Amino acid sequence: MVNSTIKNIADSIGVPKLKDEITSAMAQDVEFRLHEIITEAMKFMRHSKRTKLTVTDINSALRVRNVEPIYGFETGRPIKFNKTATALEEIYYVDDEVIDLDRLMEEPLPSVPLEVVYTAHWLAIEGVQPRIQQNPAPIDEEEPAAKKPAKTPQRQDSVETIPLVKHVLSKELQLYFECITESLVSPDPLVKSTALESISIDAGIHQLVTYFVQYVAMTVKNNLNNLSTLNTAMAVAKALRRNPNLFVEPYMHQLIPSLLTCLVSKRLCESYTEDHWSLRDGAAEQIAEICQQFGQSYHTLQARITRTLLRAFLDPTKPLTTHYGAIVGLTKLGVSIIKVLVLPNIKAYMSLLDAEMEKRDNQQLIYDGAHCQTALINVLKTLARDSDDIEPVGVTIPQRSRLAEVVGDTLARLVFDDPDAGKITAAVLAANKEAKAKETSK
């Protein structure tokens, strides 16, 4: 930066005849400031992976230095400098465009710009891109459709309806789904366990979640007398929920009916001697886990399931197998459910159960009734395990009479045959006393 340039700029803004000392000092300061700005602008240029310095880099450097950026210059517009000679030196300047005001006034006004608005649309739903105008067309047009193809266009009243969503599966996922479903019906336990393990840990099967859920629902619906197949369906449902890489919350409303079916269905096997009780126990555990996991998000979930199970428990027209599933399901939902809903109804239910088991000519009723009694004993044991601060009472006839007033004579006798009879009796009597106190306070 030479002194003459400083003097020319000073003259242009109305400050003539600067002293040489002032001009020299200002030239040095301006040169230092320019060097700082250019150095800062080059940092922006390098971070932008460019080798050419632009006006944007200069403006960014000025903003960093808290200096107002330069207006009137654009990066995309080339700057042409013109040269002119004076008596002392050559001067370079930018030639400003001459605008004809008469022509400008005669030009039509530009159209009013549209108001800025925002619209929202689904880019993808559960990994599937909707076929709408805002979304780009899918690349894989030639890929085969999903195993469950979209509905064909239907013409109604001369209007053609085309589904917006077309779920496209890759060939690899289709092959994976076929291999898994074939392995699940394999007689080899190792093959079946390997397939279940794959469902529970694989991270790339999110698009298949809806198909596995549908597989569980259809398997339960079509195989209500095939215990082995139902156990496999419940294992698939459990593997899906245990996979940390899958988002299965939107599909809970499709899984829960299948779980409830395996819990309270009248018949789940060919012969009543088969161990369908374990299947019901597993379904009850899964339902309890779902309520615990998603109860905060869906506040009415546990209440609706509890209402369904309570109706099944208190309905005398239902079979004993349904009663067993309802008892186990309510027990798994927690001690508070036992205290409020199960314990007050045990005595009335036991009178019904005793009447059914007196039919000696029906071995299935006796067999099913024994399991219902065992389930009720487990209810009382669960209540006792939660009452650690209660001391056991003596196993005496008066205590047995008090217990019989709450749970009935038959169940009281079975409780007193248990090694933890004192603890169970104390917990039941304490819970009953607490319930009566709450009713009195109301």
Side-chain angles (χ1 to χ4, degrees), residues 115-123 132-135:
E115 184 180 357
V116 178
V117 295
Y118 296 93
T119 59
H121 70 276
W122 288 105
L123 179 61
I132 56 179
Q133 183 179 1
Q134 292 84 350
N135 286 339

Side-chain angles (χ1 to χ4, degrees), residues 339 428-439:
K339 291 181 178 179
V428 172
L429 295 178
N432 185 59
K433 182 179 179 182
E434 180 183 351
K436 289 183 177 180
K438 288 182 178 180
E439 290 180 0

Side-chain angles (χ1 to χ4, degrees), residues 84 128 194 244 326 376 395 399:
T84 185
V128 182
T194 303
L376 290 173
V395 185
Q399 295 293 351

Side-chain angles (χ1 to χ4, degrees), residues 47 53 57-58 115 120 134 141-142 145 149 159 172 178-179 182 208 230 262 270 282 310 333 340 361 386 398 435 440:
H47 282 292
L53 197 65
D57 299 328
I58 299 294
E115 184 180 357
Q134 292 84 350
E141 289 290 346
E142 300 299 325
V159 177
E172 291 78 8
E178 292 175 0
C179 292
E182 290 176 1
L208 292 176
L230 292 177
C262 290
E270 291 291 343
L310 184 62
L333 291 178
V340 176
D361 56 337
D386 188 68
T440 304

Side-chain angles (χ1 to χ4, degrees), residues 236-267:
V236 172
K238 186 174 183 179
L240 285 174
R241 294 191 305 102
R242 295 293 174 84
N243 192 328
N245 305 297
L246 300 181
F247 182 57
V248 298
E249 182 177 344
Y251 306 98
M252 285 299 104
H253 69 284
Q254 299 178 26
L255 273 181
I256 289 177
S258 300
L259 295 173
L260 287 174
T261 299
C262 290
L263 179 61
V264 297
S265 181
K266 176 181 178 180
R267 189 173 182 179

Side-chain angles (χ1 to χ4, degrees), residues 249 291 294-307:
E249 182 177 344
C291 290
F294 302 108
Q296 297 294 331
S297 302
Y298 303 96
H299 302 290
T300 61
L301 175 63
Q302 181 166 331
R304 289 157 54 193
I305 292 177
T306 303
R307 193 180 306 114

